[in-house]
């Protein structure tokens, strides 16, 4: 892949252009049981993704990113437990690749040399109205998620660490627009 940045606008002269070639290697794998329509996530399943990107011309830079999810049944048939994890490491000399790391909710993103995260989520439906309006909007479900995230970030020399922990809840609306486009917001 060849990346060519063409900066435009009134500040185009303030930024240096990064033009370089890089290789991107990745592996994605997932396996899950069949889902019923009322399930939020699969009752049992997992997925993982690994990616390694490194520059091959002009610069010497790399980034490794790995993430995974485990799906388990909750206390009731429509409830889901989702355990997730992620790890990212990059070189400390020159930042060429964009950040892919899923931070703990509530924290501002920073792009540090090494980061890992573990999280637990419990998803459950609050109300299933199964209601539509004139083939424009269909509300499938209103659901909640209770979560806990734990992230550890490392300094540039990887000697100093800091923990970022958060716990809380989220509310989501699972909708379908014009009977075609599924959209979840919350």
């Amino acid at each position: 892949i060849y990346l060519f940045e063409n900066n435009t606008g009134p500040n185009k002269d303030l930024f240096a252009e990064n033009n370089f070639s890089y290789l991107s290697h990745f592996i994605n794998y997932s396996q899950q049981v069949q889902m019923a329509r009322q399930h939020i996530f699969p009752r049992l399943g997992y997925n993982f993704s690994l990616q390694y990107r490194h520059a091959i011309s002009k610069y010497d830079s790399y980034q490794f990113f790995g993430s995974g999810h485990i799906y388990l049944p909750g206390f009731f048939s429509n409830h889901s437990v989702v355990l997730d994890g992620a790890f990212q490491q990059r070189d400390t000399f020159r930042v060429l690749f964009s950040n892919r790391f899923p931070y703990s909710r509530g924290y501002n993103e920073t792009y540090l040399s090494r980061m890992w995260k573990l999280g637990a989520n419990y998803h459950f439906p609050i109300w299933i109205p199964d209601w539509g309006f004139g083939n424009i909007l269909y509300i499938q479900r209103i659901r909640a998620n209770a979560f806990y995230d734990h992230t550890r970030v490392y300094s540039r020399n990887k000697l100093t660490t800091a923990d970022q922990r958060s716990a809380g809840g989220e509310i989501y609306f699972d909708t379908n627009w014009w009977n075609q486009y599924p959209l979840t917001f919350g």
Side-chain angles (χ1 to χ4, degrees):
I1 299 174
Y2 183 75
L3 177 69
F4 179 77
E5 290 181 359
N6 187 13
N7 300 316
T8 60
N11 297 325
K12 69 180 179 180
D13 297 328
L14 297 177
F15 301 103
E17 291 183 354
N18 284 327
N19 304 324
F20 65 97
S21 295
Y22 70 94
L23 293 177
S24 178
H25 314 280
F26 64 92
I27 296 172
N28 297 321
Y29 187 77
S30 65
Q31 191 173 14
Q32 68 185 42
V33 297
Q34 189 172 1
M35 285 180 54
R37 182 176 171 93
Q38 67 270 22
H39 291 157
I40 299 169
F41 289 102
R43 303 276 299 151
L44 290 171
Y46 61 90
N47 66 39
F48 71 87
S49 175
L50 301 172
Q51 182 180 33
Y52 181 74
R53 300 188 288 183
H54 61 99
I56 58 173
S57 69
K58 195 174 182 179
Y59 303 113
D60 185 23
S61 183
Y62 75 92
Q63 178 195 56
F64 174 79
F65 175 74
S67 68
H69 297 83
I70 298 173
Y71 303 101
L72 301 169
F75 294 118
F76 299 101
S77 64
N78 294 343
H79 294 204
S80 299
V81 174
V82 180
L83 305 174
D84 58 63
F87 176 82
Q88 180 173 279
Q89 182 166 315
R90 66 169 176 85
D91 63 359
T92 57
F93 178 67
R94 183 175 181 94
V95 178
L96 294 178
F97 302 107
S98 61
N99 190 2
R100 300 177 47 98
F101 191 75
Y103 278 88
S104 290
R105 287 163 267 205
Y107 285 91
N108 292 330
E109 293 185 17
T110 54
Y111 192 17
L112 299 171
S113 61
R114 180 185 293 160
M115 301 172 276
W116 61 259
K117 174 192 172 200
L118 296 174
N121 299 272
Y122 190 85
H123 294 270
F124 57 95
I126 296 174
W127 185 40
I128 303 174
D130 202 23
W131 177 82
F133 176 73
N135 289 334
I136 297 172
L137 170 65
Y138 170 71
I139 301 173
Q140 178 184 357
R141 164 181 50 228
I142 300 171
R143 61 184 168 98
N145 173 33
F147 67 86
Y148 175 77
D149 292 333
H150 180 97
T151 299
R152 177 162 291 167
V153 296
Y154 293 77
S155 64
R156 184 181 189 111
N157 61 5
K158 298 179 181 70
L159 297 176
T160 306
T161 64
D163 289 339
Q164 301 173 341
R165 291 180 282 253
S166 62
E170 302 168 321
I171 295 180
Y172 294 102
F173 296 84
D174 295 329
T175 65
N176 205 322
W177 290 83
W178 293 282
N179 291 333
Q180 295 293 317
Y181 183 68
L183 177 67
T184 297
F185 61 92

